Amino acid sequence: MNDQVREILLFAPELLGESLAAELPTENCPWQLKRSADELSGHPALVIWCLTSDPTMVIVQREILQLQQRWAPAPLLLVLPADFRHDPAELLALNCDGIVQDPDLQSLREAVQTVLSGGRVLRFRAGSPDAPKQDQPLGLAQGLLFSGLRQIGHDLQVMEALLDPPPNDVVLQLLLEGRCRELRAARNLLLWLWGPLQMGLADAVPLRANSETLDLTLSERQPSAVWNAIQQRIEAAIGNGLSNSTGQLLAIEGLNPERRRDLLLTLLKQLHEVLLRLRHDDLASNRDCKALSERWQSLQIEVKQQALRSVAGSYVRIPLGEDLVPVADQLLKRTNLEQMDDELPDPQSMLASLVLDQPVLVEGQLLPSDDPRALMQLETLISNWLVRTAEMIGSELLGVCGDWPELRRYLLQQDLLSTRELERLRNQLNSQSRWEDWIERPIRLYESRRLLFQLKFGRIEPLLLTEPRDQELRQLRWWQQQVALLVEARDAIAPQVQALVRRIGDLMVVLLTQVVGRAIGLIGRGIAQGMGRTLGRS
C-alpha cells in the first residue's frame, strides 16, 4: 500500500475517536483513520487501540491477542490513559509493537510513524500499582520479618537522603553515617537469622511517588538498532549522574564525578568498538559461540587500557617526585588490568544476541533481541559489565593514588586528599571484598543466584538473577565450601529446631495450665476454706 493512502484502524470512544481522526493526520502524515472495519478499503497498515478505563490485565491480554490474530500482520499500537497503573513487567509481556501512555498529538504522531516504519515505541510510567496484591497470606513470623525489613529500608533511605548532599555539620554527618551502619547491621542480622539472602535487596520503600517514565524507541529491529537504543539509554543514565543504591561501598565513588563519568562513558564507547570488531570478524560469520567468547576475553585488557588512558588524558603531565611525567603511561605501568571478576556472567548471553542475532532466553522463553523484555535484560547485562569493569579500574586507581600523592587532586574527590581518609576507604573496600569473597559469594552460589548491577533512573541498583551455578560451586576453595555447608546445615536443622521449640512451647502450656494452674487453684481453695472456718469460729 502506498504511503500516501495508508489506512489506520482506530478503536477509541466516540469523542476521542472523532478528535483523533480529525487532528492526527497532517500534511507530513497523510494517513486515513478509519473507525470501523467496514470503512476500510483493504488491510490496515496499523491498528490503534485507545483504552479509557483501567481494566484487568487478563482482559487487555485477551483483546490484544484477538486484535493481532484478526488484523495480522498489521502492527498494534496501544494507547493507555494517564491513570493506568499496572506492573511494567506485565505491560512488556503484552508483545505490542508500541505502547504509549497519555501522549500529546505530536508524540502520538511520532509513535505512529515509528511503528509504521517497522520500529517499536515504549513510553509509559514505570511506577508499580498503588496497592500491590499479595499472592498468599503471610504467617506471623514472615509478617514480622517483612515489616522489620520494610521499616529498616525506609529509615535507611531517609538517612541516605539526608546524606545526599552531606550536611555541613561534621558531627551531624558522623551521626547519620553511624545510623546507616546500624540499620545495615540490623538488616543483615535479621536476614541471617530468619530470611533468605535475596530478601535484603528487595525491601526498599520509595520516599516519594515513582514518576519515572520508561522511554524506549527502536527505529529498526536489527541487533545494531537494539544496541544503539541500549547505548543511548545508558549514556543518558550516566550523563545525569549516578547515585549508589547498591547497599555496599563502590571504588568508583572515590573518583572525581567527572572522572567517574568519563570512565563509564569510555568503557561504553570501547564496548561499541569491540562489538563492531566482532561483527566484522570471521568468528561472527562462522557463528562459533565458543571462539567468540574467547575473542571477547582476549580484548578485555585492551578495553581497560584504552579506558584508563582516556580517563587519565593522553597529554596530561603531573609531578612525580622531581620529574614531570605523563599520567597515562605511569598508570598503565603501575596497574594490574589482567584480573577478572568471577561474578561477571558468561558474555555469550549478550554476544550471541548483539553479534550473532540469536534469541535471548528470558524467564524460560526465547525472545528476539528487539522484544522489550529481551532488550531490558541485555541492558542489565551491559550495565553490570560497565559497573564491574569500572570497579576493577577504580580499585587500581585508588591503589596508585596511595603511592602518588600528586595524582589525588587530579583523580579523586576532595575529601580523599588526606592520606588517612584514602587509606580508610581502601581498607573498607578490602574488608568488603574479603567478606564478599569468603561469605556472601559462596552463599549466592549455593542459592544459584548472581548479583548484577544495573543503571536505572540515574542510580546503580542491585539485581539478583537466578541461574544454575553448580559448576562454580564445585570450584570453591575449602573455606568457601564450609560456608556453603553451614548454610545447608542451617536449612536442614531449622525444621527440627522449629519443631523442638514448638514442642517445648506445648509442654510449657501443659505445665502452666494443668500442673501449676491446678496447684495454685488448690492452694487458693485451701486458703479460702481456712479463712471460712476462722470466721465461723469467731
Side-chain angles (χ1 to χ4, degrees), residues 96-112:
C96 289
D97 300 273
I99 301 177
V100 292
Q101 184 174 13
D102 192 25
D104 54 18
L105 282 175
Q106 183 60 30
S107 299
L108 187 57
R109 290 191 189 102
E110 294 175 356
V112 170

Side-chain angles (χ1 to χ4, degrees), residues 65 232 243 253-254 328 340 436 441 469 494 499 508:
L65 182 60
Q232 292 175 4
S243 60
E253 290 184 282
M340 303 299 295
E436 171 79 16
R441 185 169 182 267
R469 306 189 68 181
M508 293 298 297

Side-chain angles (χ1 to χ4, degrees), residues 164-166 237-243 251-266 311 390 397-398 408-416 460:
D164 186 20
I238 297 174
N240 295 332
L242 294 174
S243 60
I252 57 177
E253 290 184 282
L255 300 179
N256 182 284
E258 183 178 353
R259 302 289 176 261
R260 185 191 317 154
R261 182 173 58 252
D262 291 343
L263 176 59
L264 292 171
L265 290 177
T266 303
V311 171
L397 291 178
L398 292 179
R408 299 175 192 173
R409 294 184 181 275
Y410 181 63
L411 291 181
L412 304 185
Q413 295 194 36
Q414 191 70 22
D415 56 346
L416 294 179
I460 304 177

Side-chain angles (χ1 to χ4, degrees), residues 396-405 407-408 411-412 422 426:
E396 293 295 323
L397 291 178
L398 292 179
V400 175
C401 288
D403 300 328
W404 191 354
L407 187 63
R408 299 175 192 173
L411 291 181
L412 304 185
L422 178 58
R426 293 179 60 191

Side-chain angles (χ1 to χ4, degrees), residues 444-512:
R444 284 200 296 267
L445 288 176
Y446 180 68
E447 295 179 345
S448 299
R449 293 182 178 272
R450 187 186 298 274
L451 177 61
L452 304 179
F453 296 120
Q454 55 181 352
L455 305 178
K456 188 175 181 181
F457 303 128
R459 299 186 300 270
I460 304 177
E461 296 185 351
L463 174 67
L464 277 168
L465 181 67
T466 302
E467 61 179 14
R469 306 189 68 181
D470 297 348
Q471 183 177 359
E472 297 177 77
L473 183 62
R474 289 190 292 266
Q475 296 175 354
L476 290 177
R477 298 187 295 272
W478 180 87
W479 169 255
Q480 296 171 317
Q481 292 179 355
Q482 306 313 306
V483 173
L485 288 176
L486 285 176
V487 177
E488 184 178 0
R490 172 206 167 194
D491 295 339
I493 296 174
Q496 284 77 13
V497 173
Q498 293 177 357
L500 179 61
V501 172
R502 187 164 54 249
R503 296 290 178 84
I504 293 175
D506 296 340
L507 180 60
M508 293 298 297
V509 170
V510 173
L511 290 176
L512 291 176

Side-chain angles (χ1 to χ4, degrees), residues 92 122 214 216 226-227 230 233-234 345-354 358-385 450 452-455 463-467:
L92 295 178
L122 293 176
L214 178 61
L216 174 63
V226 174
W227 162 245
I230 295 175
R233 287 172 55 83
I234 294 180
D346 187 1
Q348 185 176 342
S349 54
M350 62 179 181
L351 295 179
S353 176
L354 297 176
Q358 293 183 358
V360 183
L361 182 62
V362 182
E363 297 181 356
Q365 301 181 20
L366 287 174
L367 304 175
S369 59
D370 62 281
D371 188 279
R373 291 167 290 177
L375 189 146
M376 293 299 175
Q377 179 163 311
L378 291 173
E379 181 181 344
T380 299
L381 294 175
I382 294 171
S383 301
N384 179 69
W385 178 84
R450 187 186 298 274
L452 304 179
F453 296 120
Q454 55 181 352
L455 305 178
L463 174 67
L464 277 168
L465 181 67
T466 302
E467 61 179 14

